[in-house]
Amino acid sequence: MAKILILNGPNLNLLGQRQPEIYGATTLSDIEASCAKLGQSLGFETELRQSNHEGVLIDWIHEARGTTAGIVINPGAYSHTSVAILDALNAYEAPVIEVHISNIHKREAFRHHSFVSTRAEAVIAGCGPHGYELALRHLAVIAGA
Ligand code: CA2
């Protein structure tokens, strides 16, 4: 079964615990469970990981080369700063979908630009945690689960 890696960047471990007015009440474990369930119905095995460390995320992207059919990534604040994550994704051969829980374009100007968006096949922002499920559904179409 094709595997999809779902990567999450800094502070996303706090989902559902802080700032519910921006990020909602859903936890990362809830997202992991809903993605596993949907993934199964689409013919994917999913694995969700989160790190607060840029280098760890980069190592995971390298590991995903040749072993996964796609990456769903919410790079968190690294979206707006990290050329290194962009470079790692550029060395990854399968589709990449970028997800943001909030609509970054309705927020501060510094969140409007994402380095990762220049690599991503698609960008989903402002759909809340549902964005991860939309990303999986899109991968099922373009990565041919
Ligand atoms: O909207 C998104 O998904 C973001 O990637 C979230 C990042 C933010 O820096 C990006 O601009 C947009 C922040 C993640 C922080 O997550 C928290 C969740 C709950 C409580 C505090 C932080």
Side-chain angles (χ1 to χ4, degrees), residues 5 7 59-71 92-94:
L5 183 61
L7 288 180
D59 286 344
W60 287 343
I61 294 166
H62 291 177
E63 263 177 41
R65 294 172 64 219
T67 60
T68 57
I71 292 178
Y92 176 74
E93 65 289 350

Side-chain angles (χ1 to χ4, degrees), residues 37-69:
K37 191 173 167 203
L38 176 64
Q40 214 166 28
S41 75
L42 295 171
F44 289 138
E45 177 194 344
T46 57
E47 182 176 346
L48 184 144
R49 298 185 190 179
Q50 187 275 333
S51 177
N52 294 322
H53 305 278
E54 189 174 21
V56 172
L57 293 163
I58 290 166
D59 286 344
W60 287 343
I61 294 166
H62 291 177
E63 263 177 41
R65 294 172 64 219
T67 60
T68 57

Side-chain angles (χ1 to χ4, degrees), residues 76-83 86 98 100 104-105 107-118:
Y78 287 144
S79 319
H80 320 302
T81 63
S82 181
V83 175
L86 170 63
E98 179 180 0
H100 296 285
I104 54 175
H105 301 288
R107 300 185 64 190
E108 303 96 322
F110 65 82
R111 296 186 202 275
H112 295 178
H113 175 263
S114 165
F115 286 100
V116 170
S117 299
T118 65

Side-chain angles (χ1 to χ4, degrees), residues 10-12 14-15 18-19 23 74 76-77 80 100-102 104 107 111:
N11 299 307
L12 286 160
L14 299 177
L15 271 184
R18 301 269 192 287
Q19 294 182 270
Y23 299 113
N74 182 346
H80 320 302
H100 296 285
I101 292 166
S102 62
I104 54 175
R107 300 185 64 190
R111 296 186 202 275

